[in-house]
Amino acid sequence: MELTVDARPPAKIETEALVTYAFEQDKPIEGALSTLDAATGGALSKLASSGELTGKMMETTLVHYPQGLLAQRLLILGAGKRDKLGSAELRKLAGAAVRMLKSKKVKRLVFAVREKDQNAESAQAIVEGILLGNFELEKYKTDKKPETELASAALAGFEGGAAGEAARGLERGRIIAESQNFARELGNEPSNRMTPRTLAARAEAMAREAGLAVDILDEKKLEELKMGALLSVAQGSSEPPRMMVVTYTPSTVKPGAAVLGLVGKAITFDTGGISIKPSQDMEKMKYDMCGGAAMLAVMRALARLKPACKVIAVVPSTENMPGGRAQKPGDVQIAMSGKSIEVINTDAEGRLILADGVCYAKQLGCTHLIDAATLTGAIVVALSNVNVGVFGSDDRFTEQVLTSARAAGEKMWPMPMDDDYREMIKSGIADIQNVGSGKGGGATVAAMFIKEFTGDTPWVHLDIAGTAWQDDVKPWSAKGATGVGIRTLIDLAMKFGSNEATKA
Ligand code: BES
Ligand code: ZN
Ligand code: ZN
């Protein structure tokens, strides 16, 4: 999609649709809206006094052929209260505008920001909203209509010196949203078209295009490295497993500098294995690789945004299948770290592949670890489809992740990690078992299991089981994979690189 900054006054821009927004207050028509109101001979004031235009969040007012403007349509979105409007809201508004206008066959639009929003951060959020809103799930529809795609969007309302800010925000927003859409595309692929090998090929192609180092470990290499936990999950499938390693190295690396490790769960399909899942909703388990896809997407963005720190993504990938060779409940496996694991439930496979993932990331020199995984149904019970569950072994590092989540407009919530939960994964026969012996607390128990393999390395675990995909369309986004976590981790990596305190 063509994205530009248009420096002309919005009333003077010829376009299929001019989009702006009104605030919910006594007089919704004020500031830049007054200018448009004057140009249209008071049409907007009339809409406001009749009660049609109130500025309520997500309200849409569409005026066709507005007199006095060069645009064919004027769309005014309700933006809620002025002091409540931030990047997260602007992103959603822009996405909602795109989706509404696309349904009316609009191919070109201009989004005009209001006074006080003439900055790079707002421009970035709007561009992200536009690109995320334009994303569709049409790949396998044979009657897809190409005209439903938006062809171009421009940012307007950035007066004078603010145009440079707009251009900066635009570029950043484009990189981030295109990366998020890359992850959504991978996540939406059905499992017959996205096996560990195809995912690895996609990772390799992405890395080469972005100029990142990439290493794909095949089953032979995984055997050599003694990744018994990952291999135990893979043994039930006729598709061989892969471990993807994608590395970004900044132009100057200080000796002893921190290295960020991003480990993502990429189960391309989770049947549960011998502890097989019920068939209801099982098709959703094609999304069980969304953590891995997120980490690859973050790398795609970082290659272009160039943080000051080294970042390594480690993505273990396999199917979890029942079969003649599948592991069975009660089997004991030896992880790469040397720890023995009693596999009580073969459906708790994500933690197994992550165990070897974090172990390998540490071996590669990562000083800080973050994993993202569609790990537990329990996190959906706790937080529904709203928040990502955040678990950490280091309060400061966990707080940094939560701060980035707020900056990126992604909802995340801290979860407990008391040592008491550690008791629940004690095994009678091995060092640990892969599910809890007690009742409840399933999301923390799962996190506790991964923690066993992180040792002293500061680590944060993101359980995205409730947020990695959406079952229904939202006004600002298509259904399917969401690409959750990506914006947070990009923000974190950028700050991490410039934050002296995190350097050893
Ligand atoms: N991939 C699932 C978790 C999941 C559930 C993701 C629902 C998205 C939506 C994971 O591998 C799993 O099966 N976890 C089990 C663990 C249990 C056996 C301890 C679960 O949560 O039921
Ligand atoms: Zn499972
Ligand atoms: Zn799973």
Side-chain angles (χ1 to χ4, degrees):
M1 191 201 309
E2 193 194 340
L3 290 164
T4 51
V5 179
D6 196 322
R8 290 173 291 178
K12 298 271 192 285
I13 302 177
E14 216 176 308
T15 175
E16 289 176 38
L18 175 66
V19 183
T20 191
Y21 44 100
F23 297 109
E24 189 180 355
Q25 52 202 14
D26 288 346
K27 284 206 168 85
I29 307 304
E30 40 91 55
L33 276 189
S34 304
T35 316
L36 289 177
D37 189 41
T40 58
L44 305 186
S45 303
K46 281 185 204 140
L47 284 167
S49 29
S50 74
E52 187 170 338
L53 193 163
T54 67
K56 263 206 192 75
M57 195 61 183
M58 285 292 157
E59 174 190 78
T60 52
T61 311
L62 185 60
V63 186
H64 288 93
Y65 299 103
Q67 261 186 23
L69 307 187
L70 293 185
Q72 292 168 32
R73 298 169 189 81
L74 173 64
L75 172 61
I76 302 183
L77 299 156
K81 303 261 192 282
R82 165 86 261 189
D83 57 357
K84 292 262 162 60
L85 186 90
S87 308
E89 290 74 25
L90 271 178
R91 190 180 295 107
K92 285 181 183 168
L93 287 173
V98 166
R99 296 188 71 76
M100 179 193 173
L101 292 169
K102 276 205 305 181
S103 73
K104 300 186 185 301
K105 310 279 182 261
V106 168
K107 299 195 69 173
R108 295 169 187 281
L109 65 81
V110 174
F111 195 107
V113 293
R114 295 289 302 271
E115 50 283 5
K116 292 192 202 153
D117 294 331
Q118 297 152 323
N119 52 57
E121 197 189 323
S122 300
Q124 181 187 329
I126 293 162
V127 167
E128 287 170 2
I130 290 171
L131 292 172
L132 296 171
N134 199 32
F135 181 89
E136 294 297 346
L137 249 180
E138 297 231 289
K139 186 167 174 190
Y140 296 112
K141 302 261 194 200
T142 54
D143 64 345
K144 63 170 166 273
K145 307 166 194 82
E147 66 268 23
T148 57
E149 285 286 294
L150 205 65
S152 80
L155 298 177
F158 290 84
E159 285 147 16
E165 288 264 312
R168 238 194 349 272
L170 183 153
E171 205 36 48
R172 210 179 151 103
R174 178 210 289 278
I175 291 168
I176 293 172
E178 285 180 351
S179 297
Q180 192 171 337
N181 283 344
F182 167 72
R184 293 168 81 189
E185 204 185 299
L186 297 179
N188 287 337
E189 285 291 345
S191 73
N192 63 329
R193 293 167 187 277
M194 186 54 66
T195 63
R197 284 182 294 177
T198 24
L199 183 59
R202 294 293 295 268
E204 200 164 7
M206 178 280 290
R208 296 216 187 288
E209 194 193 333
L212 295 163
V214 56
D215 189 16
I216 308 292
L217 313 185
D218 64 10
E219 62 275 31
K220 257 182 63 194
K221 187 77 192 171
L222 301 178
E223 294 270 5
E224 275 169 41
L225 288 164
K226 299 197 164 63
M227 296 203 188
L230 169 58
L231 288 166
S232 78
V233 179
Q235 74 189 43
S237 172
S238 48
E239 283 293 334
R242 290 289 181 268
M243 175 88 86
M244 292 149 251
V245 182
V246 181
T247 305
Y248 162 80
T249 311
S251 47
T252 50
V253 193
K254 286 191 197 149
V259 178
L260 187 57
L262 305 175
V263 184
K265 169 179 173 181
I267 296 287
T268 58
F269 197 83
D270 183 9
T271 67
I274 295 298
S275 313
I276 199 160
K277 288 180 180 295
S279 54
Q280 177 77 41
D281 283 340
M282 205 208 269
E283 74 283 0
K284 310 261 168 71
M285 285 300 118
K286 71 171 186 176
Y287 294 118
D288 215 18
M289 36 60 74
C290 285
M295 296 323 196
L296 296 173
V298 171
M299 298 309 292
R300 183 192 179 282
L302 295 183
R304 292 160 172 89
L305 295 170
K306 305 196 186 308
C309 63
K310 182 169 173 173
V311 185
I312 307 176
V314 173
V315 179
S317 183
T318 171
E319 291 185 330
N320 185 24
M321 297 286 284
R325 291 181 192 283
Q327 69 176 333
K328 301 168 288 295
D331 286 2
V332 172
Q333 310 291 0
I334 311 296
M336 184 191 184
S337 74
K339 270 199 168 74
S340 60
I341 304 165
E342 183 185 7
V343 178
I344 300 286
N345 189 318
T346 65
D347 197 10
E349 85 298 340
R351 61 200 79 178
L352 294 174
I353 73 168
L354 290 170
D356 285 345
V358 297
C359 181
Y360 193 58
K362 281 202 337 177
Q363 187 175 305
L364 293 175
C366 295
T367 62
H368 293 70
L369 292 169
I370 303 182
D371 80 74
T374 44
L375 205 65
T376 67
I379 203 69
V380 191
V381 173
L383 303 174
S384 184
N385 309 114
V386 178
N387 275 283
V388 171
V390 181
F391 305 79
S393 63
D394 178 284
D395 288 347
R396 206 168 144 266
F397 190 40
T398 309
E399 202 41 59
Q400 284 176 353
V401 173
L402 290 167
T403 302
S404 284
R406 280 189 289 272
E410 293 189 308
K411 288 181 190 286
M412 300 205 180
W413 202 256
M415 298 290 289
M417 280 295 275
D418 311 59
D419 286 335
D420 308 52
Y421 297 97
R422 170 68 181 79
E423 297 298 307
M424 301 180 185
I425 51 171
K426 278 188 175 162
S427 162
I429 179 174
D431 296 335
I432 45 173
Q433 58 184 37
N434 77 331
V435 298
S437 57
K439 283 202 180 69
T444 295
V445 170
M448 246 17 211
F449 182 93
I450 303 168
K451 183 170 181 263
E452 285 296 303
F453 299 87
T454 61
D456 299 332
T457 308
W459 155 82
V460 171
H461 158 59
L462 305 177
D463 194 335
I464 58 170
T467 46
W469 75 89
Q470 57 194 40
D471 291 326
D472 300 304
V473 59
K474 294 198 173 146
W476 53 86
S477 67
K479 57 181 170 181
T482 58
V484 73
I486 292 162
R487 294 202 310 272
T488 297
L489 296 180
I490 293 170
D491 184 89
L492 181 90
M494 297 310 290
K495 289 175 179 159
F496 198 75
S498 53
N499 186 353
E500 277 310 307
T502 58
K503 291 183 184 168

